[in-house]
Amino acid sequence: MRIAIVGAGIGGLATALSLEAAGFRDIEVFERSDELRGLGVGINLLPHAVRELTELGLDARVAELGTAPATLSYHNRFGQPIWSEPRGREAGYRWPQLSVHRGRLQLALAEAVRERLGDRVRLGHRLVAVDDHGGGTTATFRTDAGEVAEEADVLIGADGIHSALRALRYPEEGAPPWSGLTLWRGTAVVPAFLDGRTMIMAGDGEQKFVAYPLSAPGADGRQRVNFIAERHGAGAGDADWNSAVDPAPIVELFRDWRFGWLDVPATIGAAEEILEYPMVDRDPLPRWTFGRTTLLGDAAHAMYPNGSNGASQAILDARTLAHRLATEATVEDALQAYEEARRPATAALLELTRRTGPERVMLLARERAPEGFDDIDTVIPRAERERIAAEYKLAAGFHPDSLNEWSSLTVRSAG
C-alpha cells in the first residue's frame, strides 16, 4: 500500500512514524517548504501524546529536548493564585507532560523518519490538485521543476491550518476566522520563577501572559522559558504567521505586570525574538474523508491553544489512523473508523477551547473580582474550579483515570 502524507510538521511526521510502526513501508511525505528549519517556539505535549510517543520508542529522545512541568498554576493579572494542579507524573499519570521547542521536536521526528524509513521527506512540493479514482488518488504537486503527479492508495492531509487538501475539499471556506486576540510568542533566559517546574497563566480574556520552562534552572538560577503574551484588539487578524516584531510595544502593554516571583515586562524584553500572529482556529467540518483521502491534525481541527492541545491531538490522530489502517478489513473501513473515532472528539474539544477551556477560572476571577481578592474560595469555590479542570481533561482525553487504562494503539504488523 502506497501512502502519501502532505505536510512534514509534527502531525505529518508522527503519522509516518506511526505507519512504519504498524508495518507499512511505502510512505512518502511531501512538504511545501524547501527546508525543514525547525521554526517556532515552545509547545506542551500532554501525557496522552507522550504515551503514544513512548510506544513509538521516542520518549527518551523527546524528553531530551525540554523539561517536564510538575504544576500548572492560574493567576489573575495581579499575580494572585486562582487555581493550581499537578501535571504529568505528579498528577498520577504513567507518563509525563513535556515542554519542548516545537522546531526541535519537528527536526527530531524528521531524523527518526530518516532512520526508520530512509529519505522519505520530499521538500518543495506544494499540493495543487487531487484526482480521485476507484483504486486511490492522484495528487499533483507544484515544484521548482514543474508539476509532478504522484499516485497513492491513501492520501493524508497533515498540512496545517492553511491546508491545501482541506481547501481543495472545501474551496468556499476561506481564511481562518480571527478571534480578536493577538499572540506574541518568544523564549528568553530569565531567573527561574516559583519552583522552576511550574507552568503559569496570568490574566483574563482581555490580556494574558503564559510562561513555562523549557530547561531546568542552571547553576546561576536562570532557565530558558517559553512565553505567550496575549492582548484583545491589538495587532491585526491578517498578520503574517511567524512575523518578528519589536518587543518594546509589548513590554509597554505589560509594564505593570510585576509579581515579585516573575517580572513579565523584563521577560518579554529579554526575548531573542518575538513572533506575532493572530489567534485563529477553524470551524468543525462535517467530514474529513473523501474517497481515499483524509485530513489530520490542524488541517482537520485547528483550535485555539487554550489547554495546550494542538500537537498532542495531531499525534493522537496519527496513531489512531495508523492503527485503523493496520487493523480494518479495507482502506475505506479504516478511514471511516478513524474519522468516527477522532472527528467528534476533536469537534467537542474545539468547542471547549472557544469557551477558553480550563482557563475559564481566570475569566471568572476577573468577572467576579476585577480588583483582586483576599480569598479565592469566596470568589470561585473550590468545587467549581475542580469541575472546570476535570471537564477539560475528560474532553481532551487525558484524564488520568481514563488515560492510564486506555487500550494501546500499537499493532504488530499490517497487511
Side-chain angles (χ1 to χ4, degrees), residues 211-247:
Y212 53 86
L214 291 175
S215 68
D220 60 355
R222 298 166 67 83
Q223 66 185 156
R224 181 170 296 280
V225 302
N226 181 80
F227 69 81
I228 307 167
E230 177 183 309
R231 173 78 177 198
H232 192 275
D238 59 354
D240 291 334
W241 287 65
N242 291 327
S243 56
V245 297
D246 178 7

Side-chain angles (χ1 to χ4, degrees), residues 115-192:
E115 293 170 1
R116 299 178 184 187
L117 283 166
D119 187 12
R120 300 298 180 89
V121 178
R122 299 173 64 175
L123 301 171
H125 282 65
R126 181 180 293 273
L127 181 70
V128 293
V130 173
D131 179 24
D132 301 311
H133 47 79
T137 189
T138 302
T140 302
F141 296 91
R142 183 172 296 135
T143 73
D144 288 343
E147 291 190 350
V148 296
E150 298 286 343
E151 297 291 326
D153 297 297
V154 180
L155 179 69
I156 302 165
D159 47 342
I161 193 170
H162 298 293
S163 167
L165 181 58
R166 179 171 176 144
L168 290 170
R169 297 310 190 190
Y170 294 92
E172 304 301 320
E173 184 176 34
W178 183 39
S179 67
L181 292 162
T182 298
L183 309 180
W184 297 279
R185 305 186 68 159
T187 64
V189 177
V190 297

Side-chain angles (χ1 to χ4, degrees), residues 89-313:
R89 294 188 187 279
E90 284 77 3
Y93 296 98
R94 296 177 185 169
W95 304 270
Q97 177 174 321
L98 295 174
S99 300
V100 302
H101 188 279
R102 181 207 170 276
R104 294 183 66 197
L105 175 61
Q106 180 189 20
L107 295 179
L109 295 178
E111 180 61 27
V113 169
R114 282 191 291 272
E115 293 170 1
R116 299 178 184 187
L117 283 166
D119 187 12
R120 300 298 180 89
V121 178
R122 299 173 64 175
L123 301 171
H125 282 65
R126 181 180 293 273
L127 181 70
V128 293
V130 173
D131 179 24
D132 301 311
H133 47 79
T137 189
T138 302
T140 302
F141 296 91
R142 183 172 296 135
T143 73
D144 288 343
E147 291 190 350
V148 296
E150 298 286 343
E151 297 291 326
D153 297 297
V154 180
L155 179 69
I156 302 165
D159 47 342
I161 193 170
H162 298 293
S163 167
L165 181 58
R166 179 171 176 144
L168 290 170
R169 297 310 190 190
Y170 294 92
E172 304 301 320
E173 184 176 34
W178 183 39
S179 67
L181 292 162
T182 298
L183 309 180
W184 297 279
R185 305 186 68 159
T187 64
V189 177
V190 297
F193 58 86
L194 300 177
D195 62 356
R197 294 188 63 198
T198 295
M199 177 179 183
I200 69 101
M201 298 187 181
D204 45 62
E206 181 69 21
Q207 189 164 334
K208 185 174 68 178
F209 188 79
V210 178
Y212 53 86
L214 291 175
S215 68
D220 60 355
R222 298 166 67 83
Q223 66 185 156
R224 181 170 296 280
V225 302
N226 181 80
F227 69 81
I228 307 167
E230 177 183 309
R231 173 78 177 198
H232 192 275
D238 59 354
D240 291 334
W241 287 65
N242 291 327
S243 56
V245 297
D246 178 7
I250 309 161
V251 171
E252 181 63 17
L253 286 174
F254 288 84
R255 65 183 181 277
D256 297 326
W257 291 45
R258 293 181 172 89
F259 303 149
W261 48 269
L262 177 66
D263 188 327
V264 172
T267 301
I268 297 170
E272 295 90 344
E273 180 181 59
I274 294 181
L275 305 177
E276 176 184 273
Y277 60 91
M279 184 161 152
V280 296
D281 66 1
R282 286 285 195 188
D283 291 333
L285 292 175
R287 59 188 290 199
W288 297 350
T289 302
F290 294 80
R292 295 289 191 93
T293 74
T294 196
L295 299 171
L296 182 147
D298 280 354
H301 49 71
M303 59 188 70
Y304 297 155
N306 304 329
S308 306
N309 248 290
S312 294
Q313 293 299 320

Side-chain angles (χ1 to χ4, degrees), residues 46-48 51 87-88 91-95 386-406:
L46 299 178
H48 51 7
R51 171 180 176 166
R87 303 298 275 186
Y93 296 98
R94 296 177 185 169
W95 304 270
E386 289 176 341
R387 183 173 64 252
I388 292 169
E391 178 186 41
Y392 191 80
K393 290 186 183 72
L394 287 168
F398 73 103
H399 192 284
D401 293 343
S402 58
L403 176 58
N404 288 339
E405 302 303 324
W406 195 344

Side-chain angles (χ1 to χ4, degrees), residues 362-410:
M362 298 160 66
L363 275 64
L364 291 175
R366 173 72 170 174
E367 176 185 317
R368 299 174 186 178
E371 301 303 321
F373 48 79
D374 294 322
D375 182 357
I376 186 59
D377 287 327
T378 65
V379 179
I380 313 173
R382 182 176 183 85
E384 185 177 3
R385 287 174 283 156
E386 289 176 341
R387 183 173 64 252
I388 292 169
E391 178 186 41
Y392 191 80
K393 290 186 183 72
L394 287 168
F398 73 103
H399 192 284
D401 293 343
S402 58
L403 176 58
N404 288 339
E405 302 303 324
W406 195 344
S407 297
S408 173
L409 293 171
T410 295

